[in-house]
Amino acid sequence: MNKLENEVTVMPPPRDAPPARCLDDMKVGLRFAGDPRVVQEQEIIAFAKQFDPQPFHIDPGLASQTLFGGLIASGSHTAAMTMRLLLEAFPIGDGTIGLGGEAAWPNPVRANDAIHIEGEVSAVKPSRSHDDRGIVTVRTETKNQNGDVVQTLTANLLVFRRKSRSA
């Protein structure tokens, strides 16, 4: 176990996780939402020390003197937390395989924020060359406890069809 794992709160899988979805289950307009997760100050600092060591992510005193007025999570940390929330709220049968996308961080994540995701399938495109898969486009908003959007993510995902019982 590395130092980061020792300092970060490990999130257990939810007891009532929804069933994993396959391409056959995907429809434009399908919505999903996840449970909130409280972001701890020590995990913001631990993540940033290892991956994004800027003053507004690692030093509360220095962070208070920046345009953010206090410690904030790295955008990469927000993206990583969003990924975990996405896996819990919208599991994909053979795993969530990203094919690219676009992310934005309109508001910062701060210590003690309770973040959650809300998302929707915006496109489903079966493959023309591989009948066992397709591309699903999902738009996700990560919001804090006040409903402020802290990240938007539009992602294209490779999703496989349900395996036939005879295979």
Side-chain angles (χ1 to χ4, degrees):
M1 187 178 295
N2 67 33
K3 184 177 180 197
L4 181 63
E5 289 170 330
N6 287 328
E7 296 177 11
V8 175
T9 303
V10 175
M11 299 175 359
R15 290 186 201 134
D16 57 349
R21 293 180 171 94
C22 297
L23 187 65
D24 313 272
D25 305 318
M26 301 295 177
K27 305 283 184 250
V28 172
L30 176 64
R31 295 177 157 280
F32 56 91
D35 292 331
R37 175 193 193 288
V38 177
V39 181
Q40 304 297 321
E41 180 177 289
Q42 72 271 14
E43 73 179 293
I44 291 173
I45 294 169
F47 183 95
K49 280 183 176 178
Q50 187 165 4
F51 300 108
D52 192 358
Q54 299 186 73
F56 40 84
H57 299 320
I58 62 172
D59 186 315
L62 291 175
S64 68
Q65 299 170 30
T66 69
L67 71 106
F68 299 110
L71 193 74
I72 64 165
S74 165
S76 297
H77 187 192
T78 302
M81 291 184 288
T82 295
M83 183 66 185
R84 175 63 185 249
L85 295 171
L86 181 61
L87 292 173
E88 292 175 357
F90 195 67
I92 306 291
D94 288 325
T96 301
I97 303 168
L99 299 176
E102 184 175 310
W105 298 273
N107 292 293
V109 172
R110 298 180 184 278
N112 301 314
D113 276 355
I115 62 171
H116 70 280
I117 62 163
E118 298 173 12
E120 182 174 351
V121 173
S122 58
V124 178
K125 183 179 176 186
S127 172
R128 288 188 216 162
S129 57
H130 299 282
D131 61 0
D132 68 334
R133 67 192 77 168
I135 297 173
V136 175
T137 303
V138 175
R139 184 172 194 295
T140 305
E141 290 185 334
T142 307
K143 298 180 178 182
N144 67 16
Q145 67 280 359
N146 301 317
D148 300 325
V149 177
V150 296
Q151 178 180 287
T152 60
L153 172 65
T154 302
N156 296 312
L157 307 174
L158 176 64
V159 180
F160 290 89
R161 290 192 183 278
R162 188 170 288 106
K163 291 177 177 56
S164 67
R165 295 182 195 272
S166 62

